[in-house]
Amino acid sequence: MRIAIVSLKGGVSKSTLCVNIGAALSKLGRSVVVVDADPQGSINDWATIRDEVSRPPFTVLAAARKTLNRDIDALQGSHDDCLIDTPGRAESITLAAIAAADLVLIPISPSSYDLWAAEQTLERMDPIRAIYTDIKIAYVVSKAVVGSSLDRELRQVIKEMDGDLLKTVVHQRVAFQRCADGATIYELKDEKAQREVTNLTKEILKLMGVG
């Protein structure tokens, strides 16, 4: 299974989701490689910090390149799953990552800017999906404010867009911010955040028909 986490806008938790979905898949007994295709190298930096404490629960490879769709077999190797963290602005790399993926996961936080970015992402994907017709699209509401009605309003809008809206909402929590220090959510004391990531990952597996 190959998942590209994509948005043409930064700040929607692509890297955080990538790391924690990777950790959740690993906990479920799957072997995972996370490809850091963002020239900023956030996940590569995360892995460097992590190595000072213990090995990450998955393999991390830095590959911010325009040839991801051609290189993906070699990058994934024998791993069950490959997660690709994409940049917000380097469009050619992002499009290559989309072409390499089985599933494009688009995080959207409750803001009109994120909706605009998602719509722009879909438009950019059209020529690729005309060639790679099996690519699935799914949306996850991320960085939702606990107790706010905005995420419910956002979900109503997303339902009208092309693709599957995942039921799990990932909320804005301090624990997710702390993951940048080399941790996964499963090593931090926030059971609600852990449950959100686990449920999200199980939804993705179900969507992709992976038992």
Side-chain angles (χ1 to χ4, degrees):
M1 180 173 65
R2 296 170 179 171
I3 304 172
I5 301 181
V6 174
S7 175
L8 295 181
K9 177 182 175 296
V12 293
S13 299
K14 291 194 296 287
S15 299
T16 301
L17 285 171
C18 201
V19 162
N20 286 300
I21 292 171
L25 288 168
S26 298
K27 283 179 69 68
L28 292 171
R30 300 179 65 81
S31 61
V32 181
V33 58
V34 172
V35 175
D36 188 350
D38 188 344
Q40 290 186 349
S42 298
I43 293 182
N44 199 47
D45 291 344
W46 175 91
T48 300
I49 297 170
R50 172 76 186 213
D51 283 337
E52 297 176 2
V53 180
S54 63
R55 294 184 62 183
F58 44 75
T59 300
V60 175
L61 298 176
R65 58 183 77 160
K66 302 175 184 179
T67 56
L68 275 172
N69 54 320
R70 298 199 297 271
D71 301 341
I72 195 65
D73 287 340
L75 291 167
Q76 181 169 357
S78 60
H79 293 89
D80 297 320
D81 304 310
C82 177
L83 301 176
I84 308 172
D85 185 33
T86 61
R89 295 176 183 252
E91 189 171 306
S92 57
I93 295 175
T94 298
L95 294 179
I98 291 168
D102 302 315
L103 170 68
V104 174
L105 180 63
I106 303 177
I108 307 179
S109 63
S111 83
S112 57
Y113 294 109
D114 280 18
L115 276 173
W116 174 84
E119 291 167 351
Q120 292 293 308
T121 301
L122 287 175
E123 289 179 9
R124 301 290 194 281
M125 286 176 61
D126 283 343
I128 297 173
R129 294 179 70 206
I131 300 171
Y132 302 96
T133 56
D134 292 335
I135 297 174
K136 292 182 180 291
I137 300 172
Y139 306 93
V140 55
V141 176
S142 68
K143 300 182 75 173
V145 177
V146 177
S148 171
S149 64
L150 287 175
D151 66 295
R152 293 192 293 273
E153 296 169 9
L154 177 66
R155 290 174 67 83
Q156 289 300 317
V157 175
I158 296 173
K159 284 180 180 179
E160 300 176 4
M161 298 167 65
D162 185 19
D164 293 282
L165 172 60
L166 300 177
K167 293 180 181 178
T168 304
V169 175
V170 179
H171 290 87
Q172 186 167 298
R173 302 181 188 278
V174 172
F176 286 121
Q177 297 173 5
R178 290 180 59 201
C179 288
D181 295 329
T184 72
I185 203 67
Y186 297 103
E187 295 151 331
L188 301 173
K189 295 180 180 179
D190 190 326
E191 293 182 359
K192 290 181 179 179
Q194 292 171 7
R195 188 160 51 247
E196 287 173 0
V197 172
T198 299
N199 290 343
L200 175 65
T201 303
K202 289 180 177 178
E203 267 199 87
I204 291 170
L205 289 171
K206 184 177 180 180
L207 176 65
M208 299 305 293
V210 178

